[in-house]
Amino acid sequence: MSTQAEARRLTAPDIRSRKGGTPIVALTSYHAHTARIVDQHCDVILVGDSLGMVMHGLETTVPVTLDMMILQGLAVMRGSRHALVVVDMPFGSYEASREQAFASCARVMKETGCGAVKLEGGRRMVETIAFLVQRGVPVMGHVGLTPQAINTIGSFRAQGRDEKDWGPIEDDALAVAEAGAFSVVIEAVAEPLAARISAKVPIPTIGIGASAACDGQILVLEDMLGLSPRVPKFVRRYGQLGPSIEAAVAGYAADVRSRAFPGPDNVYAMKAK
Ligand code: KIV
């Protein structure tokens, strides 16, 4: 029997119980090194399908595949020990039927060991969410701006900025909660609507471009670190990694060209005879 006291990883029920409590801190991560850092400060790590844009330079998340999500989900699980790891279900892996959704989610959970999945959509996904939850798949919902629907909505515009559009967005959030989701991401929604939804739904709301009144916040890590060239208005930059990386690469290139690198400390001497 192991005598080592290991820190228990947070679970979906732990996050569910945080409604109205201390704000839930969430960030995305797609690989082991960043997961190790993020894990020390966050409650939730989302392996977002934004990896298609951030890691692969895609224009949208639509081409992202289940295999891509599983590969990066596994890396994040290896790099983290404390946070709940949630893996995004990519476009085309869950919308056709409840059965398709279960098969895809079961693959993700078995092959990565993650603690929950996230899927986009409100009322149209309630049967699927209920089916999954009843079968042991913890689901995080995602309403408001749903980037996988880009080809039907036309642009990544904020939602609910006109009060007459509030009803369907609010209904989506309530429906997802009713179906059994343990939390719901609210993306790019007018602030008063996001605050109103947070007050109404019984599960934690995780805002991104939403409201400080949400039960938690999430950002894409590379956006807040200053690595992404273009970011939405709702991102606050907490670092300037882009310029730092560029300065480091320029320094390396100059040292290689002038033969200043490698230096005496970076090469192997012969063994003493
Ligand atoms: O894919 C992603 O990173 C997301 C967050 C923006 C919530 O869904």
Side-chain angles (χ1 to χ4, degrees):
M1 193 179 82
S2 167
T3 52
Q4 256 179 342
E6 291 228 340
R8 188 176 72 83
R9 200 185 265 281
L10 291 174
T11 63
D14 291 332
I15 299 301
R16 168 70 186 83
S17 72
R18 300 267 296 269
K19 178 74 191 172
T22 319
I24 297 159
V25 183
L27 278 172
T28 63
S29 168
Y30 318 123
H31 37 55
H33 285 353
T34 56
R36 205 163 285 127
I37 298 167
V38 167
D39 190 50
Q40 294 168 41
H41 301 277
C42 289
D43 304 303
V44 174
I45 304 179
L46 173 69
V47 185
D49 62 352
S50 52
L51 67 79
M53 294 154 100
V54 176
M55 290 181 68
H56 299 277
L58 296 167
E59 280 298 313
T60 73
T61 55
V62 171
V64 173
T65 67
L66 205 51
D67 287 339
M68 288 160 84
M69 297 309 304
I70 289 172
L71 199 59
Q72 301 328 129
L74 198 50
V76 169
M77 283 300 293
R78 288 194 195 108
S80 62
R81 294 159 37 122
H82 154 79
L84 171 67
V85 173
V86 180
V87 175
D88 242 348
M89 299 307 294
F91 179 70
S93 71
Y94 63 95
E95 304 90 330
S97 66
R98 307 180 305 183
E99 290 74 13
Q100 182 213 22
F102 183 76
S104 299
C105 293
R107 252 200 86 193
V108 167
M109 294 187 73
K110 280 170 182 279
E111 294 181 34
T112 69
C114 72
V117 301
K118 174 166 84 57
L119 53 85
E120 293 185 10
R123 286 157 296 163
R124 67 186 165 85
M125 292 311 302
V126 293
E127 280 185 17
T128 297
I129 294 172
F131 189 84
L132 292 173
V133 174
Q134 284 158 17
R135 285 158 182 76
V137 181
V139 177
M140 176 181 276
H142 185 152
V143 304
L145 177 66
T146 49
Q148 292 175 8
I150 182 64
N151 290 305
T152 46
I153 59 180
S155 71
F156 295 117
R157 244 198 342 263
Q159 312 285 301
R161 297 186 72 195
D162 198 329
E163 206 170 330
K164 71 171 172 32
D165 301 329
W166 283 17
I169 303 170
E170 197 172 311
D171 290 349
D172 278 345
L174 287 164
V176 161
E178 177 80 8
F182 71 92
S183 64
V184 59
V185 167
I186 305 180
E187 179 165 356
V189 162
E191 196 281 332
L193 173 59
R196 182 181 154 100
I197 291 173
S198 295
K200 276 195 154 182
V201 298
I203 56 173
T205 56
I206 316 280
I208 175 164
S211 170
C214 289
D215 300 289
Q217 302 293 329
I218 186 162
L219 284 175
V220 170
L221 180 67
E222 286 76 359
D223 289 354
M224 64 86 105
L225 288 179
L227 197 56
S228 308
R230 279 175 296 122
V231 292
K233 163 193 164 66
F234 57 70
V235 173
R236 183 179 293 169
R237 298 236 200 225
Y238 287 88
Q240 286 299 341
L241 233 53
S244 309
I245 292 177
E246 198 181 334
V249 172
Y252 168 74
D255 282 359
V256 169
R257 289 190 180 111
S258 66
R259 299 197 187 280
F261 178 83
D265 294 346
N266 313 116
V267 292
Y268 295 102
M270 294 294 287
K271 271 187 186 160
K273 285 233 168 95

